[in-house]
Amino acid sequence: HSPETVEIREVLESSRPNDVVLQQGHSIMDVKDYSTLVCERYVNSFAIDTICLTILKKSNEMDIVYLPCYSQTWAKQGTQFFKHKVSSYFESCPVDRARIIFFPVHFPCHKHWGLVCFDTTTSTVFFDDGEKIFPTRDILTVVRNMLSAFETVSNNSRFKFDKWNNGKLSLPFPQIGMPNQTTVGVGAESCGVAVILSLITCQKRFLCYHLPCSFKIFKNMFAFLYVKEN
């Protein structure tokens, strides 16, 4: 077995279910969340948030902002509520300096994760997911409320609706090239992993990756993150 596999096994065998494996700010991943990740099962919001924030912290990327999974819910409550809830996530990179603003989208009826990316260099909103779901209209409301908040915080007119997606901010949004999600075998419940890997893809300016082959790479990467963090 590889050193990473041994490390993962030791963590699972020597820890209690509620022990904290990794923490970034208010985002915490415990052993239960960790086990679903390494066993290639459905990954929940706690794992997605904690790993994405850890990746960004370690990469020293100063122009990418990750907003947590609850951002979708916060934005539905209106511009002011959303602005207040996410203010701490822009402490290292103010809105007007961000190249990419990224957040996961959850579809409860499908038990499925997708993602939205704001690319400020091209004023384009992207949406993608492995099942190629047509996003519901509430996603458009979420995006519009977020853009309004970004405009208010930055006092920058480039976040006005009519300047995004070639002046046609409507569904469907363009995709970033996420591979199709399989229904059986490796990758069948990979939507959460795909969101995390998409953050790495964003760091490489939207280079594509091959999702089914990424599980081993991802596990090794996470084991590295855990070892270095502890």
Side-chain angles (χ1 to χ4, degrees), residues 5-170:
T5 301
V6 172
E7 177 68 25
I8 289 170
R9 179 175 294 175
E10 288 178 355
V11 171
L12 293 176
E13 292 179 349
S14 64
S15 305
R16 293 171 297 182
N18 292 324
D19 285 350
V20 174
V21 175
L22 194 65
Q23 180 172 359
Q24 287 294 332
H26 298 296
S27 298
I28 297 174
M29 180 168 61
D30 62 20
V31 172
K32 296 193 302 294
D33 304 329
Y34 181 55
S35 68
T36 62
L37 173 68
V38 300
C39 294
E40 299 177 9
R41 295 195 295 270
Y42 177 81
V43 182
N44 65 23
S45 62
F46 303 109
I48 294 172
D49 285 348
T50 307
I51 295 171
C52 285
L53 290 169
T54 300
I55 290 170
L56 279 184
K57 178 182 177 181
K58 291 181 177 294
S59 70
N60 293 318
E61 288 279 356
M62 300 305 295
D63 58 357
I64 297 179
V65 176
Y66 173 84
L67 300 179
C69 296
Y70 277 110
S71 299
Q72 177 182 358
T73 301
W74 296 337
K76 290 180 181 179
Q77 306 302 311
T79 298
Q80 292 301 317
F81 185 81
F82 170 76
K83 182 177 68 172
H84 170 72
K85 298 295 286 187
V86 301
S87 59
S88 62
Y89 293 91
F90 289 97
E91 289 179 351
S92 298
C93 178
V95 177
D96 56 354
R97 284 173 36 202
R99 174 173 62 88
I100 296 292
I101 303 172
F102 171 97
F103 74 95
V105 176
H106 191 235
F107 299 94
C109 59
H110 295 274
K111 200 178 180 183
H112 182 64
W113 292 101
L115 61 97
V116 167
C117 291
F118 297 88
D119 182 351
T120 65
T121 61
T122 62
S123 297
T124 304
V125 182
F126 295 87
F127 168 83
D128 212 347
D129 76 296
E131 294 184 358
K132 306 306 174 186
I133 292 174
F134 191 95
T136 52
R137 289 198 59 81
D138 65 323
I139 299 301
L140 183 59
T141 300
V142 165
V143 166
R144 285 178 172 270
N145 286 349
M146 287 186 176
L147 285 173
S148 291
F150 299 156
E151 182 184 1
T152 302
V153 170
S154 65
N155 195 26
N156 193 323
S157 62
R158 70 172 174 161
F159 290 107
K160 288 185 178 297
F161 302 153
D162 60 3
K163 295 188 177 181
W164 284 74
N165 292 36
N166 296 318
K168 298 178 181 178
L169 189 62
S170 59

